[in-house]
Amino acid sequence: METSQGTASGGRDRFLDVVRAGAILAVITQHWVMPVLSYSDGRLATGNALATPGWWIVTWLSQVMPLVFFAGGAANLISFRRAGSPREWLAGRIRRLMVPVLPLMAVWLVMPDFLRGLGVPPQPLQVASAIAAQLLWFLAVYVLVVLLTPLMVAAHRRWGLKVPLVMAVAGVLVDVARFNDFGYVGYANAVFVWVAVHQLGFHYVEGRLGSLTRRAALTLSAAGFGTTALMVAFGPYPASMIGMPGAPVSNMSPPTVLLAFLAVGQIGLLLAFRPQLNALAERPGVGNALSWLGARFMSVYLWHMPALIVVAGVTVYGLGYETPAPGTVFWLVMAPAWVASCGAVLLGLLRLFAHFETQRDAVEATAKVPQLVVAGLLVSGGLLGLAAHGFAPLSDGVAHGPVPWVVLATAGFLLAGKHIPVAALGTRLLGRAVTISERAQGVR
């Protein structure tokens, strides 16, 4: 197979660094600019600026989760082929993904009760607790993709482009079932769609995507965006690539196959300007910024919503500030100040918590592959439960709050470390669960 020039020499691929950095900055900016907030009589009203008529077109570029999975696929293939074994690679990936989550879970296990003690009413407290956890859906899905990576690498080297094509066809069939009264089937596309896009990252590293001419890349982009437009115009898909308040269908939750075609459009567009993006990354200041951000990627992702909660809590709940009508002059004037305030808080949170991600993992992982698979499934299940249910106050009851999901995710993280004999596995997990539950009870 052809190998992309950026990875042939064994060095870092700066194009991927730019894609990852651009994607996380787009995610943050969108999440900070979207909320339309006001507070009155104990209730926090929430709206979405991108629901403004015509603004859906912004989401075709600002919905960058496809690019995150694409860049993740490329990075995973590069690191996988450099690893000593699949076992070593899986252990390292699972633990590295989970380490930044640990302080977030620890803080938000106690934060809802702390805010309740300060007199925050139930409804805004529920909104804040849900927002703090909702982005964990990405990690839950990504851990599953990581577990599948060794198999998908083998499939890639045997069948090449047929693999993402088959995944895309499966995604179409899932959507057909979903839009014909089998709604829950749609969640299968959390695997089919994102694995397909992840697989395109393989074809950037080992395949033709990494060596496309500008004309070919622009043609690919036009095909991706064109197909997306046709499916929106003549299919059941909404025009917005993110979920909108009150919309009967979301392209994101669960994902529709439309996002796979959107990914093709976005990837082709970036590849067309790859030389310019590589040149940008070579500038000393930009290169240093990329390195700083790359080392803290997950921490930035996890803590940017708590930063929004802090700013909204002080200004909207505390000072009575209301978001101006989106698109007005006042909104355009206030948006930079709002983003700057959130950024300042995020930097403060990173100073407290980013070292969990940047420091070297001191545990020598010896877990076997079956144990690692169980670990990954526990991590994914725990994070998905937190994303779906949020961080409810512990004083409302431990069994029905976040504690069971935290126990699952933490148990998965621990299992991804030392090898545990099968006979002792159940006892060890039960003991950890009891310990965490007892500590949680002590917080009440």
Side-chain angles (χ1 to χ4, degrees):
M1 284 190 177
E2 299 178 38
T3 302
S4 72
Q5 186 177 1
T7 58
S9 63
R12 288 194 64 84
D13 190 319
R14 303 304 281 175
F15 173 73
L16 292 178
D17 289 341
V18 173
V19 172
R20 278 194 294 262
I24 191 62
L25 291 176
V27 168
I28 291 171
T29 303
Q30 179 169 274
H31 286 162
W32 286 350
V33 172
M34 279 194 313
V36 179
L37 306 172
S38 63
Y39 178 77
S40 178
D41 298 326
R43 293 194 63 82
L44 180 69
T46 59
N48 191 324
L50 292 176
T52 304
W55 285 24
W56 56 265
I57 191 63
V58 175
T59 67
W60 289 40
L61 294 178
S62 67
Q63 172 50 279
V64 291
M65 274 303 160
L67 293 178
V68 174
F69 279 94
F70 165 74
N76 282 340
L77 179 58
I78 293 169
S79 61
F80 182 80
R81 68 185 185 183
R82 292 175 180 170
S85 66
R87 181 203 64 77
E88 176 185 320
W89 183 83
L90 279 174
R93 293 302 294 152
I94 293 172
R95 289 186 63 84
R96 180 167 174 78
L97 287 169
M98 261 302 292
V99 164
V101 184
L102 298 177
L104 182 80
M105 294 192 303
V107 168
W108 278 94
L109 274 177
V110 299
M111 186 59 66
D113 282 294
F114 174 74
L115 294 176
R116 175 178 283 179
L118 293 178
V120 176
Q123 189 267 348
L125 177 60
Q126 188 278 328
V127 171
S129 300
I131 287 175
Q134 68 181 13
L135 294 186
L136 292 174
W137 75 264
F138 162 71
L139 270 179
V141 175
Y142 195 75
V143 168
L144 291 180
V145 173
V146 165
L147 289 178
L148 290 171
T149 293
L151 297 177
M152 301 314 297
V153 169
H156 163 72
R157 289 175 176 167
R158 181 169 182 177
W159 293 299
L161 274 174
K162 294 178 182 178
V163 178
L165 289 176
V166 168
M167 290 285 176
V169 170
V172 171
L173 295 177
V174 167
D175 278 359
V176 170
R178 171 184 175 179
F179 291 117
N180 283 276
D181 299 325
F182 293 95
Y184 285 108
V185 174
Y187 287 95
N189 269 346
V191 175
F192 290 131
V193 168
W194 296 131
V195 168
V197 178
H198 187 263
Q199 209 76 4
L200 293 179
F202 293 179
H203 287 274
Y204 169 77
V205 177
E206 294 182 349
R208 295 183 179 179
L209 277 182
S211 57
L212 290 179
T213 64
R214 173 168 292 185
R215 177 176 294 182
L218 288 175
T219 300
L220 180 69
S221 180
F225 284 125
T227 303
T228 303
L230 289 173
M231 293 175 72
V232 168
F234 300 104
Y237 302 99
S240 174
M241 296 299 131
I242 65 172
M244 289 296 178
V249 177
S250 168
N251 282 316
M252 264 300 292
S253 182
T256 65
V257 76
L258 196 68
L259 293 179
F261 295 102
L262 180 73
V264 172
Q266 293 178 340
I267 292 166
L269 185 61
L270 288 176
L271 288 173
F273 296 95
R274 183 183 172 198
Q276 289 76 17
L277 294 175
N278 281 333
L280 177 66
E282 291 303 321
R283 296 182 180 180
V286 175
N288 292 336
L290 290 174
S291 298
W292 184 90
L293 185 57
R296 298 160 178 81
F297 185 89
M298 286 311 308
S299 297
V300 170
Y301 176 79
L302 292 170
W303 288 99
H304 82 273
M305 291 303 275
L308 172 64
I309 292 170
V310 171
V311 173
V314 172
T315 59
V316 178
Y317 171 72
L319 302 177
Y321 171 78
E322 294 185 6
T323 306
T328 62
V329 173
F330 191 33
W331 184 84
L332 292 172
V333 169
M334 293 303 298
W338 180 268
V339 170
S341 300
C342 292
V345 174
L346 175 59
L347 288 175
L349 292 173
L350 292 177
R351 288 181 65 87
L352 291 174
F353 302 113
H355 68 91
F356 287 90
E357 182 176 9
T358 57
Q359 69 185 4
R360 185 178 179 84
D361 190 353
V363 174
E364 182 182 356
T366 58
K368 307 298 183 184
V369 171
Q371 182 176 321
L372 291 171
V373 172
V374 174
L377 293 175
L378 289 175
V379 166
S380 180
L383 296 180
L384 189 60
L386 285 173
H389 299 285
F391 289 101
L394 297 179
S395 54
D396 288 347
V398 171
H400 302 291
V403 170
W405 307 114
V406 171
V407 168
L408 279 182
T410 305
F413 170 73
L414 296 173
L415 276 180
K418 298 291 185 179
H419 171 62
I420 302 174
V422 176
L425 187 56
T427 302
R428 183 74 61 87
L429 285 177
L430 180 60
R432 293 287 184 182
V434 170
T435 300
I436 294 175
S437 295
E438 288 176 346
R439 289 176 180 172
Q441 290 279 5
V443 174
R444 295 179 60 185

